[in-house]
Amino acid sequence: MFHRILVEDWQRALTIASFTLFFGVFLVTLLRVARMQKKEVRRLENLPLEQESHE
Amino acid sequence: MTASSQKIRIEFNDHVVRQFLVASVFWGLVGMLVGVIVATQLASWRANFDLPWLTFGRLRPLHTNAVIFAFVGNMMFAGIYYSTQRLVKARLASDFLSSLHFWGWQAIIVGAAITLPLGLCRGKEYAELIWPLNIAVAVVWVVFGWNFFWTLKRRNEPSLYVAVWFYIATIITVAVLYIVNHLSLPTSWTHSYPLFGGVQDALVQWWYGHNAVAFFLTTPILGIMYYFLPKAAGRPVYSYRLSIIHFWSLVFLYIWAGPHHLLNTSLPVWLQSLGMIFSLMLWAPSWGGMLNGLLTLRGAWDKVRTDPVLKFFAAGVTFYGMATFEGPLLAIRSVNALSHYSDWTIGHVHSGTLGWNGFMAAGMFYWMAPRLWNRALYSTALANMHFWLGLVGILLYVAAMWVSGITQGLMLGATKEAGTVLTYPNFIEAVTATMSLMHLRALGGVMYLAGFVLLAWNLWKTAAGAQTVNGSVEVPAATAAPSAMGVAGGFLNAPVLYSLSLIGCLILWGAGHGIVAGLGLWGVIAVVIGALTHQQFTGTRWSEWYERLLENSLPFSLLTAVAVLIGGVVQIIPTLLLNKADQVGEVRQIPYTPLELAGRDIYVREGCYNCHSQQIRPLVGDVLRYGDYSKIGESIYDHPYQWGSKRTGPDLARLGGKYPSVWHFHHMRNPRQISAGSTMPNYPWLFVDPTDVAALPTKLAVQRRLGVPYPELSAAQIQENVQAQAQTFAEELKNAGAEVPADREIVALIAYLQKLGKSETIPATKTAQH
């Protein structure tokens, strides 16, 4: 185990694994976002613009 | 009138927002002034004034802590409290907690401003505060989190706007980072040794250090950007969808990137590779966020010319883009070989802090002040002048540091005669070659500070004598409660369970051997097939779970924590396991004697790590200049590690025995006597103050508990040991014509410096077992 952590050559696997992991997260988020309803997006993006007494 | 149509008016707690705003401006002035002083010290050693509490090594931590935690911290709290109350349509949950948060934070800052110049320091960058202050920070942060989440619980708006997501990620991640990196064993009320040592400490430190930038200086300010930029532009964010991708990608990626601060060091290579790869991947979400910010100004660009608020925001977001382009660039190992330990990194950091943090703060303050004090900004012209002074100041500073850093990197790595001889063998040549750029940097800092003085004056004139006013909003008397899912509901559902199973199987597959790896692979296939089949047969809309999650802050926060912390766990846990004395390869550090340990504590107290590294990289320039490259076992007993991050002076990893003790004696008294052109301060007090021998028994006991193999020694034995070694050094110095009593700090420091690089070879049979 220690030998593996310290010296083994992980380079080839790491680059692919990192990309796969991130791309998985990215893809799921992208699909989620693409499926959001327009009406809901409009409502959410206007939350900061709602009036209060300072306006 | 029905109950649902009845409305009540909620008044926000803007008092605490005003307090944080004023505190941020005040501490910003202090932090930037100290920054100008330390910049001046790098241009002229005389600016150290031969006073211990004014030397660079003690003031630089004060500068970094002041601008990060005092200036940006207070600014962040003002922005978070102002925007959150309005986004969730609720007053802060507790006025008491809000006040406790404010006054507690200011008390910590005052404590830091007193202790750091006194040399009370943990010796880790941006984590220098002594342990009682560390506990205070953790407590006040919990107060902040409690107040924030309690406010979310009482909200009148079911959905959480994306800015609130960034705040949640900030609160959770900073808490974890801060606590883990500050784990220490005290030796007195003002001193402690970190729990981790050597490579462990280096990894934990930069996991913290990098993510302090990410989750203290970036994510909260992005939340502020997503709230205040649309407000100032009078239009919604360019793409709300993009902001969601920005959030999840950023919080997932950022935590993995810490090891890019340790490229080409003795950190295991797989960790360095992870740090580099994830840093490169950060390019995409960072630029997505920057473009989302800038494109929010679509149709409002004409206002940028006249409105100082938008001017600061537009420039601030642009600097975010520049800094987040440069960061991944510097994380490429071959680029880092040139840039690391040089001023290039300093320039990069300042384009982020001065440009992104400072300008976003200024834009937010100019936007808030007229509303919080119910009076128009005193002078738009002054605000515009602030902008131009600040902008030119940043460009001057950053450009000077780029040129200086690249010059240093090239000169210190340059070789001739087929790479066998250094072109510039004397380190001082790189110092003197970049001296004019140190003056330019100081000038840039003065200009930026002058701009900030104008901001302080402008806000003072706006607020003086004005009537403070708290914002308010009308909300329905009875708000529909979001559909509750609870903490268990956040985790015990198909999408999360399938995801966790998939990650578990991937780890087994990747990290396991033989049958374990085979099981992992089959597990991955089974989970994927299971998830697809499950969804097909049940017809479940898993997206509904996500919709509900966005209305339930507690499970949302916990899942955010999981997303953020995966990287930390993967990187840190294996490294915590490997730092055993007999697992470190062919060489192992020889523990310091009591006198050397006392000398090391003086080294840490004086902040020598701010200018000197103790890590020789496997690069031609480094090895030719300093000797064989550093091995992982050579610093395993160093609590804290002292690898450093900047070489204003040369590396010290193999300094021991390089020069006679009398060389160090004269060098510490007046560096220019030994090395003409040196910018290092004089340390006259080391020749007067006695070494603190009384503290050594406790310090050695703590070191033993940390795993350093000291034999059990009584106080009398330690005293005897110290005296004997100190006497040897004093006599050696006397014989060389330098007389000093053996009990002075300079003797202990020389003993430490002469020990640097001393290690023992571990028999091959022992290393082979592992």
Side-chain angles (χ1 to χ4, degrees):
Chain A
M1 174 69 177
F2 291 111
H3 183 75
R4 199 175 168 125
I5 291 167
L6 272 169
V7 296
E8 251 183 38
D9 183 10
W10 289 40
Q11 309 290 330
R12 280 173 303 176
L14 269 180
T15 46
I16 304 296
S18 309
F19 178 74
T20 310
L21 193 59
F22 172 64
F23 195 70
V25 172
F26 181 77
L27 206 63
V28 169
T29 313
L30 198 67
L31 289 173
R32 266 300 312 141
V33 161
R35 287 166 62 94
M36 279 180 81
Q37 291 182 351
K38 250 188 188 165
K39 197 175 141 196
E40 179 66 359
V41 171
R42 293 286 162 267
R43 191 181 75 79
L44 287 168
E45 70 185 15
N46 278 292
L47 280 177
L49 301 177
E50 289 186 15
Q51 297 293 304
E52 46 110 354
S53 64
H54 269 176
E55 307 305 322
Chain B
M1 187 179 272
T2 62
S4 61
S5 64
Q6 285 179 342
K7 298 218 166 179
I8 54 168
R9 179 157 286 276
I10 291 173
E11 185 182 320
F12 300 129
N13 180 352
D14 286 339
H15 175 65
V16 75
V17 177
R18 277 186 290 272
Q19 287 180 311
F20 275 120
L21 187 156
V22 171
S24 175
V25 173
F26 175 75
W27 290 117
L29 287 169
V30 173
M32 291 174 206
L33 178 63
V34 179
V36 167
I37 293 171
V38 292
T40 310
Q41 289 173 333
L42 288 169
S44 169
W45 62 272
R46 289 184 181 81
N48 291 280
F49 298 105
D50 287 359
L51 293 170
W53 52 275
L54 268 185
T55 43
F56 179 85
R58 297 195 190 184
L59 283 192
R60 194 256 180 177
L62 179 64
H63 164 60
T64 52
N65 280 275
V67 290
I68 295 172
F69 298 108
F71 168 51
V72 179
N74 280 310
M75 169 264 187
M76 171 219 303
F77 298 137
I80 289 176
Y81 277 159
Y82 186 92
S83 58
T84 302
Q85 292 184 89
R86 283 149 177 89
L87 285 168
V88 304
K89 300 189 180 75
R91 183 184 173 85
L92 286 177
S94 164
D95 289 353
F96 169 71
L97 288 181
S98 304
S99 285
L100 186 60
H101 176 194
F102 175 76
W103 290 111
W105 198 253
Q106 309 319 310
I108 291 163
I109 296 168
V110 172
I114 294 169
T115 53
L116 290 173
L118 289 176
L120 301 172
C121 171
R122 291 179 71 245
K124 295 174 64 164
E125 286 179 85
Y126 327 124
E128 284 98 345
L129 303 192
I130 54 174
W131 69 268
L133 290 177
N134 300 156
I135 293 175
V137 169
V139 169
V140 172
W141 196 262
V142 169
V143 168
F144 167 44
W146 188 1
N147 201 19
F148 178 85
F149 285 110
W150 192 4
T151 306
L152 294 192
K153 177 91 179 149
R154 292 153 48 106
R155 70 189 186 274
N156 291 295
E157 163 57 51
S159 299
L160 297 174
Y161 181 68
V162 71
V164 180
W165 302 6
F166 278 104
Y167 303 154
I168 289 173
T170 300
I171 292 170
I172 291 170
T173 315
V174 169
V176 176
L177 294 168
Y178 196 88
I179 289 169
V180 174
N181 192 45
H182 287 80
L183 293 172
S184 308
L185 282 184
T187 66
S188 71
W189 283 103
T190 55
H191 183 266
S192 63
Y193 289 122
L195 216 53
F196 308 114
V199 66
Q200 276 185 351
D201 199 35
L203 182 64
V204 171
Q205 161 63 21
W206 284 112
W207 172 69
Y208 160 85
H210 170 75
N211 289 300
V213 173
F215 288 91
F216 204 93
L217 300 179
T218 306
T219 52
I221 316 304
L222 285 170
I224 284 167
M225 176 190 89
Y226 277 120
Y227 176 79
F228 287 96
L229 193 54
K231 293 291 274 190
R235 62 205 63 226
V237 65
Y238 170 68
S239 167
Y240 193 78
R241 288 188 167 100
L242 182 54
S243 73
I244 295 173
I245 297 174
H246 182 201
F247 173 80
W248 286 112
S249 304
L250 207 68
V251 298
F252 181 78
L253 286 176
Y254 243 134
I255 207 90
W256 296 76
H260 70 212
H261 289 261
L262 298 166
L263 295 179
N264 297 303
T265 66
S266 47
L267 185 77
V269 176
W270 68 272
L271 278 165
Q272 297 184 34
S273 299
L274 269 185
M276 179 175 82
I277 293 161
F278 276 90
S279 303
L280 287 169
M281 288 196 285
L282 268 171
W283 244 324
S286 300
W287 270 54
M290 175 202 66
L291 291 171
N292 210 5
L294 287 180
L295 290 171
T296 299
L297 294 169
R298 68 203 183 284
W301 281 104
D302 56 310
K303 286 200 221 168
V304 175
R305 278 189 298 144
T306 51
D307 181 358
V309 172
L310 285 180
K311 204 174 280 183
F312 275 106
F313 280 158
V317 175
T318 307
F319 273 109
Y320 172 63
M322 283 169 59
T324 54
F325 178 83
E326 194 181 25
L329 177 74
L330 297 179
I332 298 170
R333 231 166 114 177
S334 48
V335 179
N336 193 270
L338 173 72
S339 70
H340 195 49
Y341 295 130
S342 83
D343 280 332
W344 192 350
T345 313
I346 315 299
H348 164 61
V349 169
H350 282 81
S351 78
T353 48
L354 301 177
W356 164 240
N357 296 122
F359 272 20
M360 290 303 287
M364 189 182 87
F365 293 159
Y366 284 130
W367 189 88
M368 280 168 119
R371 288 163 176 83
L372 291 171
W373 278 277
N374 198 27
R375 184 191 272 176
L377 186 67
Y378 171 67
S379 168
T380 304
L382 271 183
N384 281 323
M385 193 186 290
H386 168 200
F387 175 81
W388 289 111
L389 264 176
L391 185 67
V392 175
I394 298 171
L395 295 179
L396 210 51
Y397 187 109
V398 172
M401 290 297 91
W402 281 343
V403 177
S404 167
I406 292 170
T407 307
Q408 290 161 355
L410 290 175
M411 284 183 75
L412 295 173
T415 56
K416 57 186 179 184
E417 296 179 26
T420 56
V421 178
L422 288 168
T423 309
Y424 304 98
N426 197 341
F427 190 94
I428 204 72
E429 291 176 271
V431 176
T432 50
T434 52
M435 193 45 65
S436 57
L437 297 160
M438 299 300 120
H439 289 97
L440 268 185
R441 173 243 284 265
L443 177 64
V446 167
M447 289 180 75
Y448 193 87
L449 175 62
F452 206 75
V453 170
L454 293 184
L455 171 137
W457 173 250
N458 210 350
L459 295 189
W460 169 257
K461 294 296 282 181
T462 303
Q467 187 69 40
T468 58
V469 58
N470 296 335
S472 63
V473 69
E474 273 195 345
V475 295
T479 309
S483 58
M485 71 194 308
V487 177
F491 285 89
L492 298 177
N493 57 71
V496 172
L497 292 177
Y498 279 121
S499 302
L500 291 178
S501 308
L502 188 64
I503 290 170
C505 292
L506 279 170
I507 290 171
L508 287 181
W509 181 23
H513 277 298
I515 194 164
V516 179
L519 282 174
L521 174 59
W522 284 107
V524 169
I525 296 168
V527 171
V528 171
I529 293 174
L532 292 173
T533 315
H534 183 171
Q535 193 176 28
Q536 195 71 33
F537 274 93
T538 56
T540 319
R541 282 196 62 227
W542 286 350
S543 58
E544 283 170 7
W545 162 78
Y546 186 77
E547 310 292 355
R548 288 173 60 208
L549 184 70
L550 297 184
E551 295 181 355
N552 286 268
S553 57
L554 188 56
F556 177 86
S557 305
L558 291 173
L559 282 170
T560 303
V562 171
V564 165
L565 296 178
I566 287 174
V569 170
V570 170
Q571 291 179 343
I572 287 176
I573 301 290
T575 316
L576 293 191
L577 298 174
L578 71 82
N579 192 23
K580 310 288 181 197
D582 53 355
Q583 307 278 3
V584 291
E586 68 271 33
V587 291
R588 180 170 54 201
Q589 184 179 14
I590 300 170
Y592 303 110
T593 64
L595 181 69
E596 290 158 6
L597 183 68
R600 186 171 201 273
D601 287 337
I602 295 166
Y603 181 94
V604 169
R605 181 191 74 195
E606 298 304 335
C608 304
Y609 62 90
N610 287 291
C611 293
H612 295 281
S613 60
Q614 290 186 17
Q615 180 69 211
I616 304 168
R617 299 171 295 174
L619 305 173
V620 175
D622 268 32
V623 172
L624 282 177
R625 188 176 299 278
Y626 304 116
D628 194 12
Y629 66 88
S630 296
K631 314 292 188 306
I632 201 167
E634 290 182 280
S635 54
I636 48 163
Y637 299 134
D638 277 356
H639 298 260
Y641 89 112
Q642 290 289 283
W643 293 4
S645 66
K646 173 72 175 66
R647 287 177 183 161
T648 303
D651 185 274
L652 305 182
R654 301 203 187 286
L655 184 67
K658 188 172 180 182
Y659 305 111
S661 297
V662 72
W663 186 96
H664 293 292
F665 182 90
H666 292 306
H667 188 247
M668 295 305 296
R669 176 169 272 169
N670 179 6
R672 281 143 296 279
Q673 189 181 333
I674 299 289
S675 180
S678 170
T679 52
M680 184 169 139
N682 302 330
Y683 290 87
W685 58 93
L686 299 181
F687 297 79
V688 180
D689 296 342
T691 303
D692 185 6
V693 181
L696 281 172
T698 317
K699 288 182 174 178
L700 284 166
V702 168
Q703 290 268 329
R704 275 168 56 87
R705 288 183 66 191
L706 291 170
V708 183
Y710 282 114
E712 273 205 64
L713 294 169
S714 67
Q717 285 173 310
I718 291 169
Q719 174 87 21
E720 201 177 304
N721 191 314
V722 167
Q723 277 175 352
Q725 195 183 9
Q727 201 54 46
T728 312
F729 273 102
E731 278 168 23
E732 185 192 335
L733 288 169
K734 191 178 175 186
N735 294 337
E739 207 157 344
V740 68
D743 67 342
R744 299 304 145 94
E745 288 188 333
I746 184 67
V747 175
L749 184 63
I750 291 174
Y752 168 64
L753 295 175
Q754 293 290 33
K755 182 64 169 282
L756 287 173
K758 307 291 184 204
S759 55
E760 59 183 350
T761 306
I762 303 172
T765 48
K766 195 164 187 184
T767 53
Q769 290 167 9
H770 308 283

